[in-house]
Amino acid sequence: MPEVHDTRDVTKGSSPHTSDELLDAWYKSVSEDGFEDDDAQTIGLFGGRSKTSDGYESSRSSRLKRVREILSIVRRYDIFHGLTPKSLRHMLEELGPTFVKAGQILSMRSEILPESFCRELTKLRSDVEPMDRDTVLQALRDEYDTPIEDIFDAIDDVPLGSASVAQVHKARLVTGEMVAIKVQRPHVQETMAQDIAIMRSLVGFMDRFMSGSQFLDMQSVVDELWQSFRDETDFLVEARNLEEFRRNNADCKFVDCPKPYPKLCTKHVVVMDYIEGIPIDKTAKLVAAGYDLEEIGTKLVDNYTRQMIDDGFFHADPHPGNLIVRGGQIVYIDLGIMGRLSSHDRKAMSDMVKAVALRDSAGLADGLLRFSISDTSAVDHAHLLDDLDMIIADYGEADLADLDVGSFVNSLISMARKNGVELPGTVTMLARSLVTLEGVVDEFLPGVSIIEIITAHIKAHTTPEDLIEHEVKGFTREGTRAAHGLLGAASQADLAMKMLTRGQLRLNLDVAGTEDPINDFAHIANRLSMSVMVAGLFIGSSVVYYARIQPVIFGIPIIGFVGYLAALILGIWVARSIIKDDRRRRR
């Protein structure tokens, strides 16, 4: 975890020295000044804006009470130095639903947390204490103008599942259809909005005293958590997701999702078909029911490829609990959070998959740069390709069937971040989804990599017309780029000539493998000069020796003897310098 540094003054106080003092300083700040989000709220003739609340108001006293509750929990954990994967998971569970959701988001962000933490955070429990029947019925009555008895003929007392945001019950409509009702917990929006405001305030405050980039990344996690919260607590979004997913897969006979009942769906309630089948991880039951596990695994991966490459609308969490096999179909459930890829991103993803299959470092680099949401002008392309060559070398020895997609993806994301290539959250979400999917189908397709199936899908769905169109676009893009390059080169050449004639031209020399080329060249020149001097002294001393100039020492003229000695000393010095530099480079 980040270290605390005593570098700045805390507002209205001295800078903190320990983690407890830092937390106390934050509590003092929010107690005296309130939350930063309060200052971000505005009103105006044409509406206002709010950084995080969006109308989910909470009183100052309730916020401070929640802050004290959070502080009492985090003080029991050494959040600055001693958090292990398990202690982090336990702390998030104690902090409540919002922090559990933050942990679930972090579990898919291996570019922020080490892989061991990501694996542990995937274990965050989703089941919580269920709401009682009266609370559920009252929540339904609050949503409908019509008495619920005129809508539902029966509602099961025992929930099918109870999570931090909502609870699901089996029910029967008065028209006879069996449905599942997803009911949002009362006041969950206000509670989560308050927690997110507190998290934003804490992260913003800590950022003043933390070194490194981890807390900067936490700011983006809080923003992503807020967006996820808004989507997940608006059940009309999930109803629309169900309809869109069904439209996209209408011609796919082996994939389905629950049918929503739009007229009965509200912002806090989703009514959809009840799905009864075999969970996809119950392989023994599937075999007993006559299913072919290899066929299920192949169709699952092929359809998921269609979702991400063809449709650009994919299930963001395809874990076994969200996949049910019924009537020869794989049924996706819980479509609250879905991922989206633009046509540009889908093409880049397709090219990257092909590059992985071909072990093409340049293709992978091109795909990563096309995905980047940051400025890539400063990226060291040579270094990027070197890193990708190393990754390809590490994973290229094994057959494609033995490729560990999870490890490969994590290495790729970490490498991109190290080289300053910032990937959007959707891409990292998709990467983690592929890792999850690989874990699901591992038992179904032993000895087969999902990359093989994805590559086969791309090839099967690429027509000659698509190839021609792609090549034409490629030639057009490259031609335009080349034309701009030629015009730019001509302009730069004209400028260089003008500067040369005015004596204003300077040369910046950059040689690969050296930080100071001028100094290195000077060092080489010095060695050459010394070598010439050694040779000159040796030759000159030899001339003096054969001339027999008096006086002599050891049979050698004194002048020649001094020349030989100087040549020997300088020669040893040059040889020693060369050997020393060679050893340093090898290290």
Side-chain angles (χ1 to χ4, degrees), residues 174-440:
V174 292
T175 51
E177 296 93 338
M178 298 302 299
V179 296
I181 310 172
K182 186 174 182 179
V183 184
Q184 190 172 122
R185 289 177 176 270
H187 310 298
V188 70
Q189 290 179 319
E190 293 84 349
T191 301
M192 293 184 75
Q194 174 179 267
D195 280 355
I196 293 172
I198 292 172
M199 289 169 66
R200 188 183 294 278
S201 172
L202 176 60
V203 169
F205 186 84
M206 295 296 187
D207 190 30
R208 307 177 196 173
F209 307 100
M210 296 297 168
S211 65
S213 60
Q214 194 155 352
F215 256 74
L216 296 176
D217 289 325
M218 285 303 299
Q219 192 68 52
S220 69
V221 171
V222 174
D223 292 338
E224 185 176 339
L225 176 63
W226 174 246
Q227 186 59 47
S228 172
F229 154 74
R230 293 178 62 183
D231 291 342
E232 195 167 351
T233 55
D234 184 355
F235 285 0
L236 290 175
V237 172
E238 181 169 358
R240 289 192 293 269
N241 289 344
L242 290 167
E243 291 185 313
E244 183 173 354
F245 190 88
R246 287 176 62 83
R247 285 196 304 270
N248 290 345
N249 293 276
D251 60 341
C252 184
K253 296 182 179 180
F254 57 84
V255 167
D256 200 3
C257 75
K259 181 185 72 174
Y261 291 77
K263 292 183 179 179
L264 300 179
C265 295
T266 71
K267 193 171 183 178
H268 304 119
V269 174
V270 177
V271 179
M272 62 194 119
D273 279 339
Y274 172 69
I275 303 298
E276 187 170 12
I278 305 173
I280 201 166
D281 57 342
K282 305 296 183 183
T283 54
K285 290 186 177 181
L286 290 173
V287 172
Y291 288 104
D292 183 337
L293 297 185
E294 183 176 350
E295 181 183 5
I296 291 176
T298 303
K299 288 182 174 180
L300 176 61
V301 177
D302 184 78
N303 176 261
Y304 201 80
T305 306
R306 169 179 174 165
Q307 293 178 38
M308 65 178 185
I309 299 295
D310 300 340
D311 302 330
F313 184 68
F314 61 92
H315 197 289
D317 192 17
H319 66 78
N322 287 336
L323 295 166
I324 295 175
V325 179
R326 178 201 65 176
Q329 291 182 313
I330 302 169
V331 183
Y332 287 84
I333 61 175
D334 192 3
L335 276 68
I337 301 297
M338 302 289 289
R340 289 187 183 275
L341 292 171
S342 65
S343 57
H344 170 271
D345 291 342
R346 297 201 301 273
K347 186 65 183 69
M349 177 62 68
S350 175
D351 291 343
M352 285 183 66
V353 170
K354 293 176 183 176
V356 172
L358 297 173
R359 313 299 190 197
D360 178 10
S361 301
L364 273 177
D366 181 63
L368 283 174
L369 293 175
R370 285 158 63 188
F371 266 129
S372 179
I373 58 176
S374 58
D375 183 13
T376 59
S377 58
V379 172
D380 186 338
H381 292 260
H383 192 269
L384 177 64
L385 284 172
D386 286 343
D387 285 349
L388 282 171
D389 283 337
M390 292 178 63
I391 292 178
I392 291 295
D394 288 340
Y395 294 94
E397 296 297 327
D399 292 334
L400 195 61
D402 299 324
L403 177 65
D404 184 346
V405 174
S407 178
F408 179 79
V409 165
N410 289 327
S411 298
L412 204 59
I413 291 175
S414 299
M415 183 278 307
R417 186 186 182 202
K418 185 183 74 172
N419 283 275
V421 180
E422 184 180 354
L423 301 177
T426 304
V427 173
T428 53
M429 179 193 297
L430 176 59
R432 297 301 299 181
S433 299
L434 287 173
V435 174
T436 303
L437 189 69
E438 184 186 38
V440 173

Side-chain angles (χ1 to χ4, degrees), residues 96-128:
T98 310
F99 291 85
V100 169
K101 176 58 65 176
Q104 291 170 347
I105 290 176
L106 280 171
S107 72
M108 297 186 291
R109 299 293 296 274
S110 55
E111 82 279 16
I112 294 178
L113 286 181
E115 181 60 23
S116 58
F117 283 81
C118 292
R119 284 197 304 269
E120 186 65 29
L121 292 181
T122 59
K123 302 175 184 177
L124 283 168
R125 58 185 176 87
S126 57
D127 292 336
V128 298

Side-chain angles (χ1 to χ4, degrees), residues 535-551:
L537 285 170
F538 184 81
I539 294 171
S541 299
S542 298
V543 171
V544 170
Y545 172 76
Y546 285 108
R548 299 296 179 180
I549 299 175
Q550 298 295 325

Side-chain angles (χ1 to χ4, degrees), residues 132-157:
D132 58 69
R133 178 179 174 82
D134 291 339
T135 303
V136 173
L137 294 179
Q138 185 57 49
L140 289 172
R141 290 191 178 97
D142 291 341
E143 290 301 309
Y144 298 114
D145 296 331
T146 306
I148 59 174
E149 291 78 11
D150 295 341
I151 302 173
F152 304 104
D153 182 51
I155 299 176
D156 201 341
D157 291 340

Side-chain angles (χ1 to χ4, degrees), residues 514-580:
T514 178
E515 295 180 357
D516 190 351
I518 300 299
N519 183 59
D520 287 348
F521 285 145
H523 193 51
I524 293 170
N526 290 338
R527 281 187 184 173
L528 288 173
S529 300
M530 295 299 292
S531 299
V532 171
M533 289 177 62
V534 169
L537 285 170
F538 184 81
I539 294 171
S541 299
S542 298
V543 171
V544 170
Y545 172 76
Y546 285 108
R548 299 296 179 180
I549 299 175
Q550 298 295 325
V552 298
I553 181 173
F554 302 121
I556 304 172
I558 292 178
I559 296 176
F561 180 81
V562 172
Y564 279 133
L565 183 62
L568 177 64
I569 294 171
L570 290 176
I572 292 174
W573 181 83
V574 171
R576 183 174 176 274
S577 176
I578 292 172
I579 294 172
K580 185 179 178 181

